[in-house]
Amino acid sequence: MCGIVGILKARAAQDPAAERDLLVRMRDRMTHRGPNDAGAWDDGRCFLGHRRLSIIDLSPAGHQPMSSADGRIQVVFNGEIYNHAELRPELEAKGYRYRGHSDTETLLYAFQEWGLDCFHRFNGMWAVAIWDHRDPNRPMLHLVRDRVGIKPLYLSQVSTGDWIFASEIKGLLEHPKLSREMDRTAFWHYLTFIVAPAPLTMFRGVYKLPAGWRMSIDHTGHARAEQWWDCPTDPAKIMKASEVSEDDCADMLLSALKASVKRRMVSDVPFGVLLSGGVDSSLNVALMSELMDRPVTTFSIGYEGEDDYNEFRFARRIAERYKTNHHESQIKLSQMQDFLPQLVEIQDEPIADNVCIPLHFLCKMVKESGTTVVQVGEGSDENLLGYWWCEHYRSVYQELYRPARQQAFPPQPSLFDRLLGRTPSSPLGPRAAKTDEEREILARANAGQELFWGGAACWWGSRRGQLTPRPEPFMQAVNCPVEGLMPESHTLLDSHGVVRHHLAQFDGRLPEPEVLYKIPYMEHKLRLPEHLLMRVDKFSMAHSIEARVPFLDYTVVELAQRLPAEYRLKDGVGKSILKKLSLKYMDEDMVYRKKQGFGAPMEQWFKQGDFGPSCLAALESSALVKEGYFDIDYLRGMLKEQMGSGGGWSFHLWTVMNAVFWRRRWLGD
């Protein structure tokens, strides 16, 4: 796990020494991503930098940038290739001579042998840059992000034909030609999705490579991007419950998870598990324990004085059952407030999820214990429909959305029916809406919009209209310099357009209830890579530790997407199939207890101490208010209600306050 950075010039640099100094400043702005080693290489046109966190092959043989034997290919690599040792014999048989045992060397030789197709052979996580100048007259820079987006990669064109890239935006911001300006279109979408959807970021002119995408810059400086892998949602490959039993599917899933956990135990440094006491993290502990001859090291976090949010009793039961080397810590409100400036520094751009707070303190505890690698549970709920709202969306889809959609857009008679003079019967309408949310759902159906926008959609519907009554401040032209990277939908002030861009391909092709197949796909497009995995990467790397994600091994993902929805969500129970197989490893009351979630007590914190008043002061003085993005009277009333009796607005307020704190830190106003 590392940090990578690079500068590509349209033509040879006039002052190579100055470019080298700049590269080092950009690289060392991310020292936390790799405190064990630093490297740099250039040929006067391409400048590559690397910070190394040594995990596999701790020797100098793993030093980067890494060069091919003939010097014509250079690689900088952030991540892990778990099956590198399996690929090595094949490459050695083709004549490649290894100098060490790192996965970077396998990546280098695999690219040399198979080109960009090599990434289809890899199992792992990565953000990679490859400078290929085997043809000196037509050199090419390739940037590649892993299938599900576990590792981030940012890029920008700083002048015609000149490009920069880095693992974190703060590295890019060291470049003097990159101006700090808020991307107003990204900000619009951020308020909906609580993150900027890829390829947008909150910094204008800075883009993130989407999950499963690659980009190539040719010898003229022209950049082109394309998707090389997509979350598999092929209707023809989805299993049918009538053809395969739930027990057989559970066996297949368990086998895939065991193999995934085993792959992620390859390490030359100490490793452990983040343990919440929920099914996912507990299963990680159980499966790892089967493969170890020493205790698993586990870590749990809680909140001082907030027993309703703490899961210590469940984590302790798992720790006792598997005799782990267990660590615990509790967070105080004062610690959270003191941490806020560092929060927006680590995030680079807003990730409006209060889980970032406990995650920071959890990673801090991991590092202080001497552990360098941890397994985490992200991806299980998204692929296996584990959240409470999955059943909620299934219910409103069948009772409200689908009947309303069919009524608004009645099915057309087939050719056969038309020849016989038959017309389809009128569809039954939806039941009456009872809540504001249900009225919004009916409005979406009647407008031909998608039902599901994401597992963390925040400001939409009537509340969005009250928050941002004037769209004019958000309007701007979006001109992405990378061919094929920016969908037109993402350049408009229409967050539904972002959703529709991803889901249009499935019209009429998915089994019913189709929303249960659309949910995992949309989570892979938005929330997983740019929210959940981004927060894991940023906060683990801030403490120089590596996080691995067994539930997002691509073989597990591909299997999960083929499972019948009724095995994933059964009788209202989310990730039913995973819970069924988990009964082998934990008590039934642990498996079927109400999902608590890994979050911070923001509802209470807004009412305690001076946190609420300090947020109000920051809001009222913010440039975002002065420039007309928000209706301050509406927000002030919402915040004061939250500070008083509560009100359930903490999610909405935290999304706004993240943007306020970010704007103040990074743009200085």
Side-chain angles (χ1 to χ4, degrees):
M1 195 66 65
C2 308
I4 65 174
V5 63
I7 302 170
L8 180 63
K9 308 289 291 183
R11 54 186 58 86
Q14 294 182 342
D15 187 351
E19 295 293 337
R20 291 180 194 120
D21 289 343
L22 174 57
L23 179 81
V24 169
R25 291 199 304 275
M26 295 169 65
R27 181 197 69 189
D28 291 350
R29 187 66 177 83
M30 305 181 295
T31 299
H32 51 278
R33 296 189 73 92
N36 302 132
D37 189 20
W41 173 94
D42 75 89
D43 62 1
R45 183 177 178 189
C46 181
F47 299 77
L48 302 177
H50 187 262
R51 296 289 328 190
R52 185 183 183 197
L53 177 63
S54 301
I55 303 293
I56 297 174
D57 190 351
L58 310 185
S59 76
H63 178 80
Q64 297 184 46
M66 188 174 288
S67 175
S68 61
D70 60 9
R72 295 181 180 181
I73 301 174
Q74 275 73 32
V75 169
V76 283
F77 166 45
N78 167 32
E80 302 285 354
I81 297 174
Y82 301 121
N83 64 332
H84 72 99
E86 300 165 29
L87 295 170
R88 178 170 176 152
E90 183 177 359
L91 290 164
E92 287 178 324
K94 292 179 179 293
Y96 294 95
R97 296 293 174 257
Y98 279 73
R99 295 161 284 182
H101 300 280
S102 74
D103 50 352
T104 308
E105 199 167 359
T106 291
L107 189 160
L108 174 64
Y109 299 151
F111 173 78
Q112 195 169 348
E113 182 65 27
W114 299 305
L116 290 172
D117 286 344
C118 70
F119 290 95
H120 291 283
R121 294 173 174 253
F122 298 156
N123 187 317
M125 55 183 179
W126 58 81
V128 178
I130 303 172
W131 177 237
D132 182 358
H133 52 124
R134 285 175 288 188
D135 182 346
N137 297 315
R138 302 178 66 85
M140 186 82 73
L141 177 68
H142 303 288
L143 306 177
V144 188
R145 192 176 178 193
D146 66 67
R147 293 176 178 86
V148 297
I150 302 171
K151 295 290 97 187
L153 189 57
Y154 301 93
L155 59 111
S156 182
Q157 185 181 55
V158 290
S159 59
T160 303
D162 289 0
W163 295 86
I164 55 177
F165 65 86
S167 296
E168 296 186 10
I169 296 175
K170 60 178 64 70
L172 299 182
L173 293 176
E174 290 295 309
H175 199 288
K177 290 185 179 180
L178 184 59
S179 61
R180 298 191 183 194
E181 181 182 348
M182 185 175 75
D183 189 301
R184 290 175 277 166
T185 305
F187 184 33
W188 177 276
H189 296 313
Y190 159 81
L191 291 170
T192 304
F193 302 118
I194 80 170
V195 291
L200 292 168
T201 76
M202 288 282 279
F203 291 90
R204 191 172 191 186
V206 175
Y207 304 95
K208 51 196 168 195
L209 198 62
W213 278 63
R214 65 192 181 201
M215 170 179 147
S216 298
I217 307 173
D218 67 18
H219 64 289
T220 69
H222 176 262
R224 185 178 184 279
E226 62 181 354
Q227 183 174 265
W228 69 272
W229 186 87
D230 194 14
C231 174
T233 309
D234 183 348
K237 294 183 179 180
I238 296 173
M239 303 178 196
K240 297 179 181 178
S242 59
E243 298 176 357
V244 60
S245 72
E246 186 177 8
D247 286 341
D248 286 343
C249 287
D251 289 342
M252 286 188 280
L253 181 58
L254 180 58
S255 177
L257 285 171
K258 285 183 174 181
S260 176
V261 169
K262 184 176 182 179
R263 289 187 194 104
R264 282 155 184 79
M265 291 175 63
V266 176
S267 173
D268 294 332
V269 295
F271 54 85
V273 179
L274 302 188
L275 175 61
S276 69
V279 171
D280 307 330
S281 63
S282 298
L283 189 57
N284 273 346
V285 172
L287 297 181
M288 188 181 286
S289 295
E290 288 185 339
L291 298 167
M292 294 178 60
D293 55 7
R294 59 177 177 80
V296 177
T297 303
T298 53
F299 304 89
S300 300
I301 200 82
Y303 306 95
E304 188 175 87
E306 301 290 349
D307 290 342
D308 290 343
Y309 283 82
N310 293 336
E311 296 183 274
F312 283 146
R313 63 189 183 279
F314 303 112
R316 288 167 185 163
R317 281 177 61 180
I318 294 297
E320 290 169 3
R321 176 167 181 163
Y322 291 99
K323 297 179 172 54
T324 74
N325 178 17
H326 191 55
H327 301 72
E328 292 179 356
S329 183
Q330 294 194 58
I331 307 168
K332 300 177 182 179
L333 171 61
S334 59
Q335 288 177 297
M336 182 275 287
Q337 288 185 255
D338 292 342
F339 170 60
L340 284 180
Q342 193 179 354
L343 172 76
V344 291
E345 175 78 18
I346 292 171
Q347 288 177 335
D348 276 350
E349 58 174 340
I351 306 171
D353 186 344
N354 61 51
V355 170
C356 292
I357 297 169
L359 187 58
H360 160 74
F361 290 98
L362 193 53
C363 291
K364 182 174 183 287
M365 177 171 49
V366 170
K367 187 63 178 178
E368 291 172 348
S369 77
T371 302
T372 305
V373 176
V374 288
Q375 298 208 19
V376 298
E378 266 73 10
S380 172
D381 289 307
E382 290 71 32
N383 284 308
L384 298 171
L385 303 172
Y387 294 107
W388 68 268
W389 43 257
C390 294
E391 169 61 19
H392 174 69
Y393 274 112
R394 184 207 60 77
S395 174
V396 297
Y397 172 80
Q398 294 182 323
E399 297 175 16
L400 284 172
Y401 177 84
R402 189 183 183 203
R405 184 77 180 258
Q406 290 177 333
Q407 192 173 65
F409 305 95
Q412 298 300 309
S414 67
L415 175 62
F416 183 71
D417 286 334
R418 289 199 302 270
L419 290 173
L420 294 179
R422 297 191 308 208
T423 58
S425 59
S426 299
L428 296 176
R431 63 170 172 79
K434 301 176 183 178
T435 64
D436 288 343
E437 183 203 28
E438 291 186 350
R439 283 184 279 275
E440 171 69 21
I441 287 168
L442 291 182
R444 288 186 183 184
N446 291 325
Q449 293 187 345
E450 296 286 348
L451 169 61
F452 180 74
W453 288 22
C458 186
W459 290 97
W460 48 266
S462 60
R463 292 197 190 104
R464 177 57 181 264
Q466 291 175 284
L467 175 72
T468 58
R470 296 174 55 249
E472 291 82 5
F474 295 89
M475 292 179 178
Q476 69 176 27
V478 179
N479 300 304
C480 180
V482 184
E483 180 186 347
L485 183 63
M486 182 69 71
E488 183 181 0
S489 58
H490 289 49
T491 68
L492 307 174
L493 301 185
D494 175 14
S495 292
H496 175 261
V498 175
V499 176
R500 186 64 186 154
H501 167 74
H502 295 299
L503 294 182
Q505 61 180 303
F506 299 119
D507 286 352
R509 298 178 58 229
L510 294 171
E512 291 290 352
E514 66 173 17
V515 68
L516 295 184
Y517 295 95
K518 288 183 175 181
I519 284 174
Y521 188 81
M522 274 308 303
E523 293 293 86
H524 272 273
K525 294 290 118 178
L526 290 173
R527 186 162 169 262
L528 254 177
E530 311 311 336
H531 169 184
L532 303 180
L533 294 173
M534 193 66 76
R535 78 187 183 196
V536 168
D537 174 84
K538 293 293 175 64
F539 287 90
S540 61
M541 293 308 298
H543 296 279
S544 303
I545 63 173
E546 174 177 296
R548 297 178 175 179
V549 197
F551 287 99
L552 289 177
D553 187 297
Y554 82 93
T555 63
V556 175
V557 172
E558 291 181 347
L559 172 60
Q561 301 316 307
R562 294 176 56 226
L563 295 176
E566 54 263 52
Y567 290 170
R568 291 185 261 178
L569 180 64
K570 185 175 183 180
D571 299 327
V573 178
K575 59 186 177 192
S576 174
I577 192 168
L578 186 77
K579 291 177 178 177
K580 183 174 185 177
L581 68 85
S582 296
L583 290 171
K584 301 177 182 178
Y585 301 97
M586 59 198 85
D587 297 332
E588 185 173 357
D589 67 312
M590 291 276 288
V591 171
Y592 290 104
R593 71 182 177 89
K594 182 179 179 181
K595 182 176 176 62
Q596 186 164 331
F598 179 45
M602 297 304 299
E603 283 288 313
Q604 285 69 32
W605 281 353
F606 270 110
K607 297 187 291 183
Q608 296 173 3
D610 65 346
F611 177 56
S614 67
C615 286
L616 181 58
L619 181 63
E620 292 181 331
S621 63
S622 173
L624 296 176
V625 170
K626 295 175 183 177
E627 295 171 9
Y629 291 97
F630 300 139
D631 183 328
I632 184 58
D633 292 331
Y634 176 65
L635 270 179
R636 186 187 292 116
M638 181 179 283
L639 180 53
K640 287 185 175 179
E641 180 182 350
Q642 186 66 42
M643 291 160 55
S645 60
W649 303 119
S650 63
F651 178 39
H652 297 80
L653 291 169
W654 187 243
T655 299
V656 169
M657 294 313 303
N658 259 258
V660 168
F661 297 143
W662 168 83
R663 175 77 182 248
R664 184 172 62 189
R665 162 62 185 88
W666 289 106
L667 303 188
D669 54 23

